[in-house]
Amino acid sequence: MAEHFKQDSVTAVAVRIDAEHPHGVVFDPHQPQLRVTDLGAVRGDGVFETMYALQGHVRKVDAHLQRLRRSSTITEIGIPPEESWRAAVELGLEEFRVRGQLPEHLSIRLTATRGVDGEPASDDPQFAGTYWALFTQVSETMLENRAKPISVTLLDRGYDAGAAERAPWLLLSAKTLSYAVNMSALRWAKNHGFDDVIFTTSDGQILEAPTSTVLVLKKEADGPRLITPVLETGILPGTSQGAIFAAAEEAGWKLGYGPLTPEDLYDADHVWLCSSIRLATPVARIGDHELAVDEGYTAQLISFLEQDKPVNHPV
Amino acid sequence: MAEHFKQDSVTAVAVRIDAEHPHGVVFDPHQPQLRVTDLGAVRGDGVFETMYALQGHVRKVDAHLQRLRRSSTITEIGIPPEESWRAAVELGLEEFRVRGQLPEHLSIRLTATRGVDGEPASDDPQFAGTYWALFTQVSETMLENRAKPISVTLLDRGYDAGAAERAPWLLLSAKTLSYAVNMSALRWAKNHGFDDVIFTTSDGQILEAPTSTVLVLKKEADGPRLITPVLETGILPGTSQGAIFAAAEEAGWKLGYGPLTPEDLYDADHVWLCSSIRLATPVARIGDHELAVDEGYTAQLISFLEQDKPVNHPV
């Protein structure tokens, strides 16, 4: 048991932020840390971000912290200032170094919950909830699967394209902990022989995948064009898509924003799902429609991510 | 601090269920109990029920356990057998008695999460997740507010009436921990001067409230008729509505099932929101539409709940 923990302790580190530790304090993620009355655990009432650190360099920190702030504003959950999160991330990386081994590939998940109902952790609303960063070594399986072509199924997300603007209480563009539907859609896909899902609106627009952003490439006469769905449908502004767009634009590629339909995907030259940890995963099949896969373009997108350009979403 | 805990320890008790304690074991809900890797806390990936115990008598146990089982089936989360939950509930009540005081009004929340990703708590799928019952004294404020007439606003839930049947991956009729939208809708209502919310489909059907079921009364020539929205829209089968229907039918009342539109509510003689803890709360206003409130009928519905009849939903 001690042996087991010792092994795990190198692959997982956690840092809590609270009013007494505004720059974070290390804790053991294998020990209970949350009360059963925490609204994160009882109502999925929190927000999060998942970042990728390669050899200790955390990618797109600004974009992730900006989106975390945006999610916290939409959900009215107070969160610590940026410097707290940055310090917590540094503390977690340092903890790995102190233990003698900083993994080459780390997932860093920042989570903020509304805390315990009726018992704010602090009078300061920036520290009233529950906050932590969880550092996990990216598994070998994930690394091996990254660039492997996948099959996806289109699943109706139930909302029409106007729901996000019409009904802000649906929190459609916040990255909340209420992810049961995202997980359910992935189970549905796997039970039906697919690797992943692309959500559509009930009126037939392409949205996003449960944990990634859809990216389309069209080869045009004067070069490649990258296209991603419009944000107005309430999808999350993708940090990886944004970083790819920033670097692609500098490389002279053209950019475009949907609305996209399933036909646009079938007619595309290539489609990827982009996320911080998986990077750019080529889609080889959507339902019954085969799609071409191009290793060169996939490598190009991944190299765009390596440039870690500032993300600037058109909203 | 010790004083504070001593006081709280009488008002809150918690019981965990696991493979080693299939009949439950008491724990202190003020101490951390969940790991930050628990999927309940990181993805709202769990299911729950909230029951009401009056003077130690737990109402509608069968209906709640049946709905918990239904939610667990829909979400594919293994849960302990019924006898485990029943034993855990008894253990929690006994713990209050041992401490010298069983509160007259208790809320008992049963929660089951998918547990820690990749680390099932047991090889037995019935005990692979994280399971607990939380017993909390119902606040004086809640008790005082129970029968007070409230104002509600109609809010679009974003889904059309066919989404639940068309897209089972949306988990619409499971009671999951992913409640961020429900909480957000309640905040929206309060920020706009309303006490509560009734959700509608995007195509204008009445659904349910974020934490309760809609009940309509029409006075007809041969007596009162109770009407509630159809379940096909993906609303939760209400245990309180079901118990009221069972007793009302025995009392010779007529019953009906929607589809209901906003106009049906405006034209109703009376409307209530029903839930296990709040019982039957009369609605005095829906948006700009005033509704009549009748203390006699409210008392009648509450007395129907006191009969604790078996619930039988038409599905």
Side-chain angles (χ1 to χ4, degrees):
Chain A
M1 194 64 188
E3 193 64 26
H4 171 70
F5 172 70
K6 191 151 177 285
Q7 186 184 14
D8 275 354
S9 68
V10 184
T11 62
V13 160
V15 174
R16 185 178 74 238
I17 302 171
D18 57 34
E20 283 169 40
H21 308 91
H23 296 107
V25 56
V26 172
F27 69 91
D28 178 0
H30 301 87
Q31 297 301 316
Q33 189 70 15
L34 300 172
R35 288 165 57 179
V36 294
T37 46
D38 195 292
L39 290 166
V42 295
R43 297 211 181 271
D45 202 4
V47 295
F48 75 102
E49 285 293 323
T50 304
M51 311 194 292
Y52 175 48
L54 178 64
Q55 294 168 335
H57 171 78
V58 189
R59 287 189 180 168
K60 304 183 267 107
V61 180
D62 292 345
H64 283 292
L65 289 178
Q66 192 183 338
R67 195 168 65 178
L68 187 69
R69 170 67 54 194
R70 190 167 168 275
S71 296
S72 88
T73 302
I74 296 172
T75 55
E76 299 176 25
I77 293 173
I79 62 169
E82 278 204 8
E83 58 261 35
S84 285
W85 294 104
R86 289 181 197 274
V89 168
E90 281 312 308
L91 182 60
L93 295 175
E94 187 55 28
E95 179 68 15
F96 277 109
R97 291 190 196 100
V98 167
R99 294 186 193 180
Q101 191 198 338
L102 180 67
E104 187 174 5
H105 305 276
L106 273 178
S107 154
I108 307 178
R109 192 191 207 255
L110 311 179
T111 306
T113 85
R114 204 180 297 277
V116 174
D117 201 12
E119 293 183 39
S122 165
D123 292 336
D124 181 347
Q126 295 185 107
F127 295 99
T130 309
Y131 315 103
W132 72 90
L134 178 68
F135 303 70
T136 320
Q137 188 166 355
V138 179
S139 71
E140 284 301 320
T141 313
M142 165 64 83
L143 294 174
E144 286 162 12
N145 284 341
R146 265 181 176 168
K148 278 190 191 158
I150 58 169
S151 63
V152 307
T153 179
L154 297 180
L155 291 185
D156 181 353
R157 187 63 187 79
Y159 301 117
D160 60 272
E165 295 205 341
R166 188 175 73 236
W169 49 85
L170 299 178
L171 306 176
L172 285 185
S173 61
K175 197 170 170 76
T176 78
L177 298 180
S178 286
Y179 252 47
V181 170
N182 301 48
M183 299 298 101
S184 163
L186 288 174
R187 280 195 304 278
W188 178 278
K190 272 152 202 176
N191 291 342
H192 290 77
F194 295 93
D195 299 309
D196 211 319
V197 170
I198 292 177
F199 282 128
T200 61
T201 63
S202 56
D203 44 356
Q205 273 196 41
I206 296 297
L207 288 170
E208 61 198 339
T211 66
S212 50
T213 310
V214 175
L215 198 60
V216 165
L217 187 142
K218 294 280 279 182
K219 293 179 193 163
E220 299 185 347
D222 51 349
R225 179 186 295 273
L226 288 176
I227 309 168
T228 198
V230 282
L231 293 174
E232 283 72 11
T233 48
I235 61 172
L236 290 184
T239 59
S240 299
Q241 167 269 318
I244 288 172
F245 267 38
E249 189 164 39
E250 279 205 10
W253 292 25
K254 285 164 294 164
L255 308 178
Y257 296 89
L260 297 174
T261 64
E263 280 66 32
D264 290 325
L265 300 196
Y266 308 150
D267 295 344
D269 288 295
H270 309 294
V271 174
W272 292 266
L273 298 186
C274 299
S275 65
S276 295
I277 307 292
R278 284 201 305 183
L279 308 179
T281 305
V283 176
R285 186 158 66 88
I286 301 175
D288 294 334
H289 297 261
E290 305 285 338
L291 282 173
V293 162
D294 183 301
E295 286 185 15
Y297 275 123
T298 300
Q300 182 69 63
L301 296 185
I302 290 171
S303 82
F304 283 157
L305 285 170
E306 281 163 9
Q307 295 179 31
D308 198 16
K309 295 278 183 209
V311 174
N312 186 17
H313 283 292
V315 268
Chain B
M1 194 65 186
E3 193 63 27
H4 171 71
F5 172 70
K6 191 152 177 286
Q7 186 184 14
D8 274 354
S9 68
V10 184
T11 62
V13 160
V15 174
R16 185 177 74 238
I17 302 171
D18 57 34
E20 284 169 39
H21 308 91
H23 296 107
V25 57
V26 172
F27 69 92
D28 178 359
H30 302 88
Q31 297 302 315
Q33 189 71 16
L34 300 172
R35 288 166 57 179
V36 294
T37 45
D38 194 293
L39 290 167
V42 296
R43 297 210 180 273
D45 202 4
V47 296
F48 76 102
E49 284 294 323
T50 304
M51 311 194 292
Y52 174 49
L54 178 65
Q55 294 168 335
H57 171 78
V58 188
R59 287 189 180 169
K60 304 184 268 109
V61 180
D62 292 345
H64 284 291
L65 289 178
Q66 192 183 339
R67 194 168 66 177
L68 188 69
R69 171 66 56 194
R70 190 167 168 276
S71 297
S72 88
T73 302
I74 295 172
T75 56
E76 298 176 26
I77 294 173
I79 61 169
E82 277 204 8
E83 57 262 34
S84 285
W85 294 104
R86 289 180 196 275
V89 167
E90 281 312 308
L91 183 60
L93 295 175
E94 187 55 29
E95 178 69 15
F96 277 107
R97 291 190 196 101
V98 167
R99 293 185 193 181
Q101 190 197 339
L102 180 67
E104 188 174 4
H105 305 276
L106 273 178
S107 154
I108 307 178
R109 192 192 208 255
L110 311 180
T111 307
T113 84
R114 203 180 298 277
V116 174
D117 201 12
E119 292 182 40
S122 165
D123 292 337
D124 181 347
Q126 294 185 108
F127 295 99
T130 309
Y131 315 103
W132 72 89
L134 177 69
F135 303 70
T136 320
Q137 188 166 355
V138 179
S139 71
E140 284 301 320
T141 314
M142 165 65 83
L143 294 174
E144 286 162 12
N145 283 341
R146 264 181 176 166
K148 279 191 190 157
I150 58 169
S151 63
V152 307
T153 179
L154 298 179
L155 291 184
D156 181 353
R157 187 62 187 79
Y159 301 117
D160 60 272
E165 294 205 342
R166 187 175 72 237
W169 49 85
L170 298 178
L171 306 176
L172 286 184
S173 62
K175 196 169 171 74
T176 78
L177 299 180
S178 287
Y179 252 47
V181 170
N182 301 47
M183 299 298 101
S184 163
L186 288 175
R187 280 195 304 278
W188 179 278
K190 273 152 201 175
N191 291 342
H192 290 78
F194 295 93
D195 300 309
D196 211 319
V197 170
I198 293 177
F199 283 127
T200 62
T201 63
S202 56
D203 45 355
Q205 272 196 41
I206 296 297
L207 288 170
E208 62 197 339
T211 65
S212 51
T213 309
V214 176
L215 198 60
V216 166
L217 187 141
K218 296 278 279 181
K219 294 179 193 162
E220 300 184 347
D222 50 350
R225 179 186 295 275
L226 288 176
I227 309 167
T228 198
V230 282
L231 292 175
E232 284 71 12
T233 49
I235 62 172
L236 290 185
T239 59
S240 299
Q241 168 269 318
I244 288 171
F245 267 38
E249 190 164 38
E250 279 204 10
W253 293 25
K254 286 163 293 164
L255 308 178
Y257 296 90
L260 297 173
T261 64
E263 281 66 33
D264 291 325
L265 300 196
Y266 307 149
D267 295 343
D269 288 296
H270 308 293
V271 174
W272 293 267
L273 299 186
C274 300
S275 65
S276 296
I277 308 293
R278 286 201 303 184
L279 308 180
T281 305
V283 176
R285 185 158 66 87
I286 301 175
D288 295 333
H289 298 260
E290 304 286 338
L291 282 174
V293 162
D294 184 301
E295 286 184 16
Y297 276 123
T298 299
Q300 182 70 62
L301 296 185
I302 290 171
S303 81
F304 284 157
L305 285 170
E306 281 163 9
Q307 295 180 31
D308 200 15
K309 296 277 181 209
V311 174
N312 186 16
H313 283 293
V315 268

